[in-house]
Amino acid sequence: MRTITMLVILPVLAVLFASKAGALDNGLARTPPMGWLVWERFMCNTDCKADPGHCLNEQLFLDMGTRLSQDGWVELGYNRVNLDDCWSTRTRDKSGNLVADPERFPHGIQWLAEELNKMGVKLGIYEDYGTTTCQGYPGLIGHIQTDVDTFARWGVDMLKVDGCHSNHSTMNEGYPEIGRALNKTGRPILYSCSWPYYLRASKLPINYTYVAEQCNIWRNYNDIDDSWVSVTGIIDYYAANYELFGKVAGPGNFNDPDQLIIGDFSLSYDQSKAQMAIWCVLAAPLFMSNDLRNISDQAKEILQNKELLAVNQDPLGVQGQRYSVVGRAEYWMKPLQDGSKAVVMFNRTPFGDRRKMTVEFKDVGFTSTQRVMVRDLYLHSDTGVYNQSYSAFVNPAGGVVALKLSATTQPVSSFHNHMV
């Protein structure tokens, strides 16, 4: 998305009602997709002479695919490597086709996709519903079917479509047109849309039910950057707008709060745990943007937390929400298919020591007579069986306690005490 540039917008009535006819039909994203995306960490670094190890070239993407394959990521579901802006030449070829930059991608995109596939990794690519991309590379306008046919021929498995340098008033027709073009290729290509973000930026109405019919995942808010302020800004937007777009999320279509920056430069250990826990409760696509070649063991442990990933990948596919705020203490909950609840206690107090936080079981759907098994998803242990509530101390400045609550017939007992 980056800096928004748009053509003059004519007054139009946005599409407010639409049928399923012509909807995206690829059977993908039954749970939130996972993988690695280049943008936040490496952005549009094309200077491979000065910075060969960190520029956008085929070796960077092969390196990330290798790490996904060899370091335990693929078996956990992190099985995609995604290009973003700046992969192509500045102009199309004489036949009007997109061409990968020959110096940075000398073997071409099809070869890169094939090499990644050998590792069990799928390749995603980026384009823009505009005359040019955000960074000035060729856009899709006037070439939609040709370009998606090219991507299918190359073996691409995901397409992210941005919206810079575009007429926002035509997006309600344009993004579905791209989806129909993808359907025509006959190849299942996961479709990521930036459509709602640009409508919001232009104060145009958004029919999220229609968006969910046309896209597998979609962006609603600003690009993430490597800062806690950016992470909490996204969290606040998703908390405040759950009624607007949270309820349309489900198998096949998910809201995308943007990339995981765990393992980059800004987040503390507790803040990294918080981003992971909240993104999992949100049923968010989990696309890391970091350097997997030198990620810390601590960051890797957070991102590979199998119990939190199970919350994110729960087949019910419900987007969780913030259900209570007490001062700067927040409580988030996501219902799971087996009837249990994932709960995150999130302490945003920016000063002082840890604070006591309490989950009232009635607030998350249990009856007053039910006993509840409480499991800590970061400690990987059952804390005990409780009735009515559970309390824990939570660190300040972004600390979380992530729990799974399950009804049980076992007697009340405590195995591990968070109050120590």
Side-chain angles (χ1 to χ4, degrees):
M1 295 171 193
R2 282 55 95 181
T3 301
I4 299 174
T5 305
M6 61 182 177
L7 304 179
V8 176
I9 298 177
L10 302 175
V12 297
L13 179 64
V15 174
L16 295 177
F17 300 98
S19 70
K20 288 277 187 178
L24 185 70
D25 181 22
N26 59 22
L28 300 176
R30 306 311 297 171
T31 59
M34 300 167 58
W36 182 89
L37 199 156
V38 69
W39 181 258
E40 195 290 320
R41 179 60 182 259
F42 295 96
M43 304 192 78
C44 190
N45 180 4
T46 60
D47 190 352
C48 293
K49 291 182 180 179
D51 197 11
H54 296 84
C55 72
L56 304 189
N57 62 11
E58 64 186 25
Q59 190 58 52
L60 177 68
F61 295 93
L62 289 172
D63 286 350
M64 297 308 161
T66 300
R67 297 277 56 83
L68 289 180
S69 178
Q70 295 185 6
D71 296 344
W73 301 96
V74 168
E75 49 262 48
L76 294 173
Y78 292 99
N79 62 356
R80 296 179 182 272
V81 163
N82 284 18
L83 300 161
D84 207 273
D85 209 342
C86 311
W87 61 268
S88 73
T89 53
R90 287 284 183 179
T91 58
R92 294 173 178 270
D93 68 15
K94 293 179 180 179
S95 300
N97 296 310
L98 291 169
V99 179
D101 184 285
E103 293 186 4
R104 293 183 288 115
F105 297 90
H107 295 93
I109 301 302
Q110 182 172 346
W111 177 88
L112 179 59
E114 291 171 352
E115 292 301 304
L116 290 170
N117 290 168
K118 293 174 186 177
M119 306 175 194
V121 177
K122 300 175 181 180
L123 178 66
I125 206 163
Y126 167 102
E127 249 301 339
D128 188 285
Y129 176 68
T131 54
T132 62
T133 70
C134 297
Q135 299 298 316
Y137 291 81
L140 283 171
I141 292 299
H143 303 270
I144 290 174
Q145 192 65 59
T146 299
D147 288 351
V148 299
D149 286 343
T150 297
F151 299 149
R153 187 175 68 253
W154 286 347
V156 166
D157 287 302
M158 177 173 167
L159 172 62
K160 173 185 173 182
V161 179
D162 215 330
C164 289
H165 308 291
S166 64
N167 185 339
H168 299 177
S169 69
T170 66
M171 286 184 171
N172 285 327
E173 295 78 40
Y175 273 91
E177 180 185 354
I178 297 167
R180 291 191 295 272
L182 288 169
N183 286 342
K184 289 179 182 178
T185 69
R187 181 178 182 84
I189 297 177
L190 194 148
Y191 185 24
S192 171
C193 304
S194 298
W195 174 12
Y197 167 81
Y198 287 96
L199 294 187
R200 180 187 68 85
S202 296
K203 296 183 170 56
L204 292 170
I206 306 169
N207 179 355
Y208 275 102
T209 300
Y210 187 47
V211 171
E213 291 173 1
Q214 306 299 326
C215 306
N216 293 123
I217 62 176
W218 57 88
R219 291 282 308 284
N220 300 302
Y221 193 61
N222 301 341
D223 283 4
I224 200 166
D225 60 43
D226 193 2
S227 73
W228 182 235
V229 169
S230 177
V231 172
T232 55
I234 292 169
I235 290 172
D236 287 341
Y237 186 79
Y238 272 68
N241 290 281
Y242 175 79
E243 294 296 327
L244 179 63
F245 53 71
K247 292 181 179 179
V248 303
N253 34 263
F254 295 96
N255 291 287
D256 181 5
D258 211 6
Q259 300 141 92
L260 294 165
I261 58 168
I262 299 159
D264 287 323
F265 302 103
S266 68
L267 300 189
S268 70
Y269 175 61
D270 278 331
Q271 291 165 354
S272 296
K273 289 170 64 178
Q275 191 195 13
M276 185 66 177
I278 298 296
W279 261 235
C280 287
V281 163
L282 288 174
L286 300 181
F287 286 104
M288 305 175 287
S289 192
N290 48 26
D291 192 339
L292 296 173
R293 298 168 297 189
N294 55 29
I295 191 170
S296 70
D297 290 340
Q298 202 172 63
K300 183 178 178 182
E301 181 181 20
I302 293 169
L303 290 162
Q304 293 193 349
N305 184 316
K306 292 181 180 179
E307 296 192 64
L308 277 173
L309 291 176
V311 169
N312 177 262
Q313 296 290 296
D314 183 76
L316 191 61
V318 172
Q319 179 174 315
Q321 62 180 306
R322 186 177 67 187
Y323 69 88
S324 179
V325 181
V326 181
R328 293 182 176 180
E330 298 184 5
Y331 297 82
W332 292 72
M333 187 274 289
K334 171 180 166 64
L336 305 177
Q337 188 178 56
D338 65 2
S340 61
K341 318 289 183 181
V343 172
V344 175
M345 297 188 285
F346 180 28
N347 182 7
R348 294 178 63 171
T349 307
F351 48 78
D353 203 348
R354 61 184 189 164
R355 68 179 291 174
K356 180 182 177 181
M357 296 180 65
T358 299
V359 178
E360 301 288 347
F361 296 154
K362 63 181 175 59
D363 292 342
V364 294
F366 295 101
T367 69
S368 59
T369 59
Q370 280 183 303
R371 294 189 290 273
V372 175
M373 174 69 77
V374 177
R375 182 168 181 81
D376 188 296
L377 302 182
Y378 274 117
L379 294 179
H380 305 295
S381 64
D382 294 330
T383 70
V385 177
Y386 302 83
N387 53 22
Q388 298 188 350
S389 67
Y390 174 76
S391 297
F393 284 118
V394 187
N395 290 341
V400 292
V401 170
L403 306 170
K404 182 177 180 180
L405 310 182
S406 307
T408 183
T409 58
Q410 295 184 39
V412 172
S413 59
S414 180
F415 313 143
H416 170 82
N417 190 354
H418 264 106
M419 300 304 294
V420 174

